[in-house]
Amino acid sequence: MLIIREAHQDELNEIKKVVAAAFEREDEANLVQAIYDSPYFEAKLSLVAELNGQIVGHILFSRILIHTKEGDRTTLALAPVSVLPAFQNQAIGAELITEGLKKCAELGFGHVVVLGHPNYYPRFGFVPASTKNIKAPFDVPDEAFMVCELVPDALADIEGMVLYPAAFLDV
Ligand SMILES: CC(C)(COP(=O)(O)OP(=O)(O)OC[C@H]1O[C@@H](n2cnc3c(N)ncnc32)[C@H](O)[C@@H]1OP(=O)(O)O)[C@@H](O)C(=O)NCCC(=O)NCCS
């Protein structure tokens, strides 16, 4: 049975192994470590997918800012989401994202930003950030930089540019 639950503090190394295996390199696992070590880390938003006692997937949301003329506003970055190669395409990623977004809303966050595949994230409610007047701080294809409103019109009065902590820019 698949369980989506909060990661325990002592599971970071296991999580990093899952992330490195999913991406077939270390960069995203290093990003997870950097976020864990940063003030942007939100322990309740590091979730694992556990199947028969084994961690087979992980998702992390962390606090970032949208810089607006009226001041900085807090939002969340979804990054990274990882499923072990042997378990991909079995909707585990979808469960992690759906449950994760629910948790973000429960914690009172209004929106989430993701840089990711434009064919995958729209099914969870993500739309191009440009349609909500939110810009990326770097050059990316318009449709790959997306936002999800957890509450209807949560971004209606926000216009600005997302600011990523330095750790994100190394990936
Ligand atoms: C992306 C990922 C988390 C999806 O998890 P999953 O459990 O395999 O996905 P699901 O079973 O929920 O959904 C499968 C869908 O994801 C798509 N998908 C799988 N890997 C993908 C990838 N790297 N980028 C975009 N889409 C991907 C599949 O094509 C499939 O699409 P379809 O439903 O239109 O056929 C997982 O494949 C993974 O860890 N990939 C490597 C790491 C990665 O690329 N992370 C995301 C960065 S944006």
Side-chain angles (χ1 to χ4, degrees):
M1 198 181 93
L2 185 74
I3 299 167
I4 308 291
R5 62 163 173 84
E6 237 175 79
H8 304 144
Q9 274 298 334
D10 61 359
E11 288 176 324
L12 177 58
N13 283 338
E14 203 178 340
I15 287 168
K16 283 169 65 182
K17 282 183 198 155
V18 170
V19 177
F23 284 90
E24 299 177 319
R25 58 179 201 174
E26 296 296 325
D27 302 45
E28 289 76 12
N30 293 339
L31 173 62
V32 169
Q33 177 78 59
I35 293 171
Y36 262 68
D37 291 341
S38 79
Y40 318 108
F41 177 57
E42 191 71 48
K44 287 183 161 53
L45 293 176
S46 176
L47 307 180
V48 294
E50 185 187 309
L51 190 64
N52 303 325
Q54 182 191 359
I55 295 180
V56 297
H58 174 255
I59 192 166
L60 185 59
F61 300 83
S62 54
R63 287 168 186 267
I64 54 166
L65 297 174
I66 304 173
H67 183 63
T68 81
K69 279 189 201 133
E70 294 79 32
D72 291 345
R73 307 285 293 264
T74 298
T75 188
L76 290 170
L78 188 180
V81 53
S82 319
V83 174
L84 282 178
F87 296 89
Q88 289 178 7
N89 293 305
Q90 297 170 37
I92 295 173
E95 280 294 314
L96 280 165
I97 296 168
T98 307
E99 286 305 308
L101 292 175
K102 223 186 274 177
K103 198 86 185 282
C104 295
E106 278 167 22
L107 291 172
F109 292 96
H111 24 81
V112 175
V113 175
V114 73
L115 175 61
H117 208 285
N119 288 336
Y120 189 53
Y121 292 95
R123 68 188 72 174
F124 307 106
F126 285 89
V127 297
S130 60
T131 65
K132 301 284 175 183
N133 300 313
I134 304 295
K135 288 194 189 118
F138 34 64
D139 246 355
V140 280
D142 187 65
E143 64 279 9
F145 190 66
M146 294 168 269
V147 292
C148 177
E149 290 176 316
L150 302 169
V151 177
D153 295 328
L155 286 166
D157 64 338
I158 302 180
E159 181 179 343
M161 183 181 282
V162 171
L163 302 175
Y164 283 97
F168 279 85
L169 305 176
D170 295 338
V171 178

